[in-house]
Amino acid sequence: MSTTTLDTSAQPIDRFVSAFQVNHGQALNGTNASVAKRREAAIQRFQELGVPTRKQEAWKYTDIASVLDRPYTLPLGPNEADVSARDLDPYLIDDLDAHVLVLVNGRPDHSLSQLDALPEEVTVTSLKDAGTHPAFKAHYGEYADAEDEVLTALNTAFVQDGAFIHVPEGTELEQPILLLHVNAAQDDLLMQPRHLFVVEADAKARVIGRQLSLTDARTFTNTVTEMFVGERGYLDHYVIQEEDDNASQVLSRFGYHEGDSVLSTDTFTFSGEVVRNNMTLTPDGPNCETNLYGLVIGHGSMHVDNNTLVDHVHADCVSNELYKHVLNDQSTVVFNGKVFVHRDSQRIDAYQSNDSLVLNNDAQIYTKPELEIYADDVVCSHGATAGQLDEEGLFYLRSRGLSQERARILMMKAFAQDVIDVIEVEPLKALIEDRVQDRLRTFAS
Amino acid sequence: MALLEVENLHVSVEDEDIEILKGVDLTINEGEVHAIMGPNGSGKSTLAAVLAGREEYVVTDGSIRYKGEDLLELEAEERAEEGVFLAFQYPVELPGVSMTNFLREAVNSVREARGEEELGAADFLKLVRERAKLVDLDPDLVKRSVNQGFSGGEKKRNEIFQLAMLEPTLAVLDETDSGLDIDALRTVSDGVNKLRSAERAFLLITHYQRLLDYIEPDHVHVMVNGRIAESGDKDLAIRLEEEGYERFQREPAAA
Ligand SMILES: Nc1ncnc2c1ncn2[C@@H]1O[C@H](COP(=O)(O)OP(=O)(O)O)[C@@H](O)[C@H]1O
Ligand SMILES: [Mg+2]
């Protein structure tokens, strides 16, 4: 595998810039033209913006610099990771009939994938091979903000591969697409996958991303995902974050959708060292429905930072945002939810709430709802709660014969239930129920 | 041997220096129905909570024996398994906790403790329908979250319905009548009367005598200021209704 080890004697910025220069023209040019042409400007922006520090409001509670400042290797060539279908078997979702694309260290591995049942007109492939696809050319780089978001700039400069999904006009994909993201390297890797999902007008798709580690090596994954949904289209994007404690990531999602369409995201975070989810959703047409749901089950010293923006640039839309956090041990959760309603965006209904169940005094929650509303005819609400398990409720359950442990599990589970109930894919819902139960059981005993 | 023997029970609130129960004595035999009446704040709910095992109350003196064993040694859930049931004065709403799942778990944990076999899904639902009818509870309510969005009356019926499901030996009803209109009161009382048996004792806590028109008690006690001030038969309840509690409330000052 062609790799570049970052020179840790240099400042982090210089390290990436020199890695870029060394590989430019070679490893970094092989991808495709749409990708390649954006690299130069992006590395330039990265250099200008610099690595975020905690002095910046958006990174106040998440020290990403120290996660970046580690001796990672940049994989700039095909995988040599040794992953077999059997390794992945436990992570295919029971009873889920899905089109599966496996990505090992950020790159699709077609030999491990199962895409035979995909309707002919639908494309699920690697980004590397998508360069000539008209939808790729039309949408790649159009929504991700490589201008102001430094990690998006870094990703745009180094992007090698990722998933490309295209659902053409009028096609309703019945089975979901499962993207299995697997970390499986011997070395400490810094990966920068890039995904693009294009769901055209009147088309429908559900995409499930599941992130796992099959390695003890330290990893940092800086992902950028762009999503486009055309008029009257529908995209449901689920992400299940269950990398190991040696894995950190910044996942930046940029979703853009047109009139009468629905774009929903549902993010479940079960593990990881430092997990930062940036989400920017832009409903740009009338009667859009934008949904953001999230559940964090924090344990150990996990640090999860959800930073969301719903950018209401168009009138007559509805957005719903609901995040739930269950925090145990010394885990930390940051929630920063911004809703921006532009001056001409009248008749917007925007709801946001985030609720935290704090089970341990050492756990920490920082939440900051930010509403910026410049239109006058809007209905916006936001709320944040933080509390402990209700003693009265626990006693009620115990007085009917449930053990302390079972009562605690039921109450914790109930707290998380409404973000689980929005899952429309039954086998996925069953999986999430199980994963939540398993984790909560360890909290209750 | 009496089913329940409360002797010289003194109870305080954790972290606070106030004594709420100041020496309660109460003996209930199998199959008996006792009523405790008394003014607001006299300690009736506290007694009920202590019987059910609520930990925020601290027993500073005295004892409670149940079936000859020290009840205070048992956790709340162990008491439920041993057949103690408390119908709450203010049933708790638990959004997201499915009534069906919770109740099935509760029923089976109590059955297991009694050495009975677990109820399967079909038998459970059959029992739900049968016992819901007893208190005229809409069985569809069982499909919801526990007490969530239930009316005041539905919550109270739901308590008696759960009592019927769990088949306790000692049922403590804390002001189940308050918040019920006269028709609901009659329905709930009929349900309770059907649940009366030689093995099952009831402790009815109430504010008003009218409940006792429907559920006839064997013994009536008046609780005032953390003590049982007087005990008698059902005529005591009628007298209380006419005279009020002033007579008792003046006594401590005079003593
Ligand atoms: N958890 C508690 N903390 C502090 N005071 C309490 C608590 N529970 C009960 N009390 C007090 O004890 C007294 C008796 O209350 P309670 O048992 O609810 O009376 P009743 O049910 O007879 O109306 C009241 O003065 C009440 O305020
Ligand atoms: Mg009371």
Side-chain angles (χ1 to χ4, degrees), chain A residues 361-375:
Chain A
N361 285 336
D362 296 329
Q364 282 174 307
I365 167 81
Y366 303 96
T367 84
K368 186 175 170 202
E370 277 183 86
L371 303 185
E372 280 195 49
I373 298 166
Y374 298 100

Side-chain angles (χ1 to χ4, degrees), chain A residues 212-374:
Chain A
L212 319 155
S213 307
L214 295 176
T215 172
D216 296 331
R218 244 200 172 135
T219 57
F220 179 77
T221 310
N222 178 33
T223 306
V224 172
T225 301
E226 291 179 283
M227 299 180 272
F228 169 85
V229 187
E231 288 184 350
R232 296 169 304 281
Y234 179 104
L235 174 62
D236 223 348
H237 185 220
Y238 300 97
V239 174
I240 313 164
Q241 303 185 305
E242 41 186 349
E243 295 185 326
D244 285 348
D245 298 343
N246 48 6
S248 291
Q249 66 168 311
V250 176
L251 168 60
S252 302
R253 276 174 282 178
F254 298 89
Y256 177 89
H257 59 132
E258 297 184 334
D260 299 293
S261 67
V262 178
L263 175 56
S264 299
T265 62
D266 211 342
T267 310
F268 299 92
T269 310
F270 293 110
S271 52
E273 183 195 17
V274 174
V275 178
R276 164 72 173 234
N277 292 310
N278 291 325
M279 180 106 74
T280 303
L281 301 182
T282 309
D284 192 5
N287 307 315
C288 280
E289 179 184 325
T290 313
N291 301 310
L292 302 83
Y293 299 102
L295 174 65
V296 180
I297 308 282
H299 58 95
S301 49
M302 262 171 86
H303 178 105
V304 181
D305 181 348
N306 284 311
N307 192 289
T308 68
L309 166 64
V310 182
D311 197 10
H312 281 290
V313 297
H314 203 283
D316 299 299
C317 291
V318 179
S319 64
N320 302 296
E321 179 164 14
L322 176 61
Y323 275 72
K324 295 270 179 128
H325 317 121
V326 182
L327 291 92
N328 200 14
D329 305 328
Q330 305 88 44
S331 59
T332 303
V333 166
V334 185
F335 174 85
N336 195 327
K338 188 164 175 176
V339 175
F340 200 108
V341 181
H342 292 252
R343 198 165 55 94
D344 295 328
S345 302
Q346 300 295 357
R347 296 169 304 279
I348 296 292
D349 288 359
Y351 305 99
Q352 181 192 90
S353 90
N354 78 93
D355 302 308
S356 304
L357 183 57
V358 185
L359 301 171
N360 191 305
N361 285 336
D362 296 329
Q364 282 174 307
I365 167 81
Y366 303 96
T367 84
K368 186 175 170 202
E370 277 183 86
L371 303 185
E372 280 195 49
I373 298 166
Y374 298 100

Side-chain angles (χ1 to χ4, degrees), chain B residues 172-206:
Chain B
V172 181
L173 276 58
D174 192 0
E175 299 214 20
T176 299
D177 53 336
S178 62
L180 289 183
D181 62 33
I182 197 75
D183 291 331
L185 179 65
R186 188 173 293 131
T187 315
V188 167
S189 306
D190 285 349
V192 170
N193 284 328
K194 284 185 199 136
L195 292 165
R196 285 176 76 160
S197 78
E199 295 82 41
R200 181 170 301 138
F202 284 85
L203 179 58
L204 309 174
I205 292 171
T206 180

Side-chain angles (χ1 to χ4, degrees), chain A residues 35-83:
Chain A
V35 172
K37 74 170 193 222
R38 291 180 188 264
R39 292 194 197 283
E40 285 286 349
I43 195 74
Q44 183 99 31
R45 273 314 275 162
F46 171 74
Q47 199 165 4
E48 286 158 13
L49 292 167
V51 175
T53 69
R54 297 185 54 180
K55 291 202 185 81
Q56 284 159 259
E57 190 59 28
W59 295 92
K60 191 169 172 186
Y61 300 107
T62 300
D63 180 10
I64 205 67
S66 66
V67 179
L68 268 174
D69 191 8
R70 287 174 181 163
Y72 298 110
T73 295
L74 290 174
L76 298 175
N79 292 306
E80 279 169 13
D82 189 16
V83 177

